[in-house]
């Protein structure tokens, strides 16, 4: 029953339909979802006082409330283990239709043109979501895998072969958490300094590596340093790429750099960080994810999965 049809069926039905919608949303989020029933089957449950036609809906409502209470308690407990005062906000259901993407003003390039992958720094959406992307692949920190699994936070990875090559198994484990692994070249050059053929090899070469190591070639590519030209976009397209996401903010352990004067998150912002550690950026991957989640919670944003929107 949809909320609209429930309106016609009466106020109690509306409450149940809305509760069901909330439940479906809460249950769609990874480890919080549990295929086992959290309460006893309805036939075992104690009848509502007085029985009558309202008893079964009342029991269903009670089960919904109990389920939500348990899901929330689990998420809060996990958040506290990871040093957060509150559970990360849950993203809304992914959009049924992905937003149309076009290169953002100021990101056009000479020699670019129609049909080339768009260059974006945020996703056009009104949802209060941001996207966390992690680049290169030098550090393979097992604590990051545990944290993302326990908090059910989606990320996207952009791997350079030079950095990731000594342990692609780590990134397969990350992929198995639902992370999409995308292309960040073979050797992390400044692509603008290379002719077309060399750019194409950097991108297509990493497509081949990721197909071999991950089982599928990506459709998303991020140029190192965010540097690109028309040849980059043509090469990316020739290698099967259809999107070039850059970023709005860069997160470090306990600090940020921003690409615009307004430092607040905006809906659809893409956040960058790197697979690094204390010797590279003064903290752990858990520290940087905490930094992102605290700002997101403070500003009323959820971390959503980039590939659900693009
Ligand atoms: Zn990079």
């Amino acid at each position: 029953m949809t909320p609209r049809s429930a309106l016609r069926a009466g106020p109690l039905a509306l409450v149940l339909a809305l509760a069901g919608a909330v439940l479906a949303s809460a249950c769609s989020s990874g480890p919080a979802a549990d295929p086992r029933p959290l309460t006893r089957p309805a036939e075992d449950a104690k009848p509502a006082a007085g029985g009558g036609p309202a008893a079964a809906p009342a029991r269903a409502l009670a089960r919904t409330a109990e389920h939500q209470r348990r899901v929330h308690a689990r998420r809060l407990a996990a958040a506290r283990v990871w040093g957060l005062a509150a559970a990360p906000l849950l993203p809304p259901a992914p959009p049924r239709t992905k937003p149309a993407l076009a290169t953002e003003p100021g990101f056009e390039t000479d020699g670019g043109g129609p049909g080339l992958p768009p260059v974006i720094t945020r996703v056009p959406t009104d949802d209060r979501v941001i996207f966390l992307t992690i680049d290169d692949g030098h550090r393979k920190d097992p604590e990051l895998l545990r944290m993302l699994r326990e908090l059910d936070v989606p990320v996207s990875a952009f791997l350079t072969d030079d950095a990731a090559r000594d342990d692609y198994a780590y990134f397969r484990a990350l992929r198995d958490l639902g992370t999409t692994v995308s292309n960040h070249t073979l050797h992390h050059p400044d692509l603008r300094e290379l002719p077309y053929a060399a750019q194409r090899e950097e991108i297509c070469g990493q497509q081949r590596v990721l197909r071999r190591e991950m089982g599928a070639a990506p459709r998303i590519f991020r140029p190192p340093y965010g540097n690109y030209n028309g040849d980059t976009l043509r090469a990316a397209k020739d290698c099967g790429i259809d999107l070039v996401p850059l970023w709005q903010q860069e997160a470090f352990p306990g600090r940020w750099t921003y690409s615009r004067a307004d430092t607040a998150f905006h809906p659809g912002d893409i956040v960058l960080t790197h697979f690094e550690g204390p010797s590279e950026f003064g903290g752990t991957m858990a520290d940087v994810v905490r930094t992102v989640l605290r700002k997101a919670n403070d500003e009323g944003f959820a971390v959503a999965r980039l590939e659900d929107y693009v």
Side-chain angles (χ1 to χ4, degrees):
M1 183 185 294
T2 64
R4 184 178 294 278
S5 62
L7 262 180
R8 292 194 296 272
L12 178 59
L14 175 64
V15 167
L16 287 172
L18 291 175
V22 171
L23 176 62
S25 166
C27 287
S28 66
S29 58
D34 187 336
R36 294 166 301 167
L38 286 170
T39 53
R40 290 175 297 171
E43 55 269 28
D44 297 341
K46 193 176 166 192
R59 285 198 301 270
L61 204 54
R63 278 199 303 277
T64 297
E66 173 63 9
H67 176 86
Q68 285 181 286
R69 191 192 63 72
R70 289 183 190 213
V71 166
H72 180 72
R74 265 201 303 252
R75 289 173 49 76
L76 182 59
R80 289 192 171 143
V81 164
W82 288 102
L84 296 163
L89 294 173
L90 283 168
R96 289 200 180 136
T97 308
K98 292 181 177 181
L101 301 174
T103 292
E104 291 171 16
F107 289 85
E108 305 89 349
T109 180
D110 289 345
L116 295 179
V119 181
I120 63 169
T121 63
R122 55 174 295 267
V123 173
T125 177
D126 293 328
D127 292 348
R128 290 185 71 79
V129 294
I130 57 161
F131 307 99
L132 178 55
T133 63
I134 315 180
D135 280 12
D136 300 349
H138 292 284
R139 285 264 185 172
K140 291 85 177 172
D141 181 349
E143 187 181 51
L144 175 66
L145 299 180
R146 285 200 306 278
M147 185 182 199
L148 296 177
R149 185 174 56 243
E150 292 175 14
L151 294 179
D152 190 25
V153 171
V155 300
S156 301
F158 290 79
L159 298 185
T160 292
D161 187 51
D162 274 355
R165 157 192 320 145
D166 63 356
D167 190 6
Y168 272 110
Y170 176 86
F171 299 102
R172 285 191 286 275
L174 188 64
R175 175 204 60 193
D176 292 346
L177 296 178
T179 299
T180 299
V181 174
S182 294
N183 187 325
H184 196 48
T185 72
L186 288 172
H187 307 296
H188 211 273
D190 182 344
L191 289 167
R192 295 174 307 182
E193 297 175 354
L194 299 179
Y196 171 83
Q199 293 202 39
R200 190 178 192 284
E201 180 49 27
E202 281 288 341
I203 302 169
C204 285
Q206 182 64 342
Q207 293 289 91
R208 287 193 296 275
V209 168
L210 292 175
R211 187 183 294 114
R212 182 186 73 222
E213 296 293 343
M214 297 289 150
R219 45 172 283 266
I220 301 178
F221 161 72
R222 174 178 282 160
Y225 318 105
N227 290 344
Y228 61 96
N229 57 21
D231 280 345
T232 313
L233 300 183
R234 273 191 296 280
K237 183 185 181 190
D238 290 348
C239 300
I241 296 297
D242 60 22
L243 180 66
V244 176
L246 303 182
W247 60 92
Q248 276 290 343
Q249 301 90 354
E250 182 168 358
F252 302 87
R255 64 192 172 90
W256 292 84
T257 61
Y258 300 97
S259 58
R260 63 183 171 221
D262 174 3
T263 62
F265 283 144
H266 290 228
D269 276 354
I270 299 170
V271 174
L272 166 68
T273 191
H274 292 86
F275 291 99
E276 294 188 339
S279 59
E280 295 87 27
F281 61 10
T284 64
M285 291 307 297
D287 292 332
V288 77
V289 173
R290 252 192 303 279
T291 300
V292 172
L293 294 176
R294 282 179 180 152
K295 180 174 168 69
N297 265 8
D298 286 350
E299 299 182 10
F301 281 81
V303 179
R305 192 179 312 283
L306 179 63
E307 294 73 22
D308 286 341
Y309 282 76
V310 299

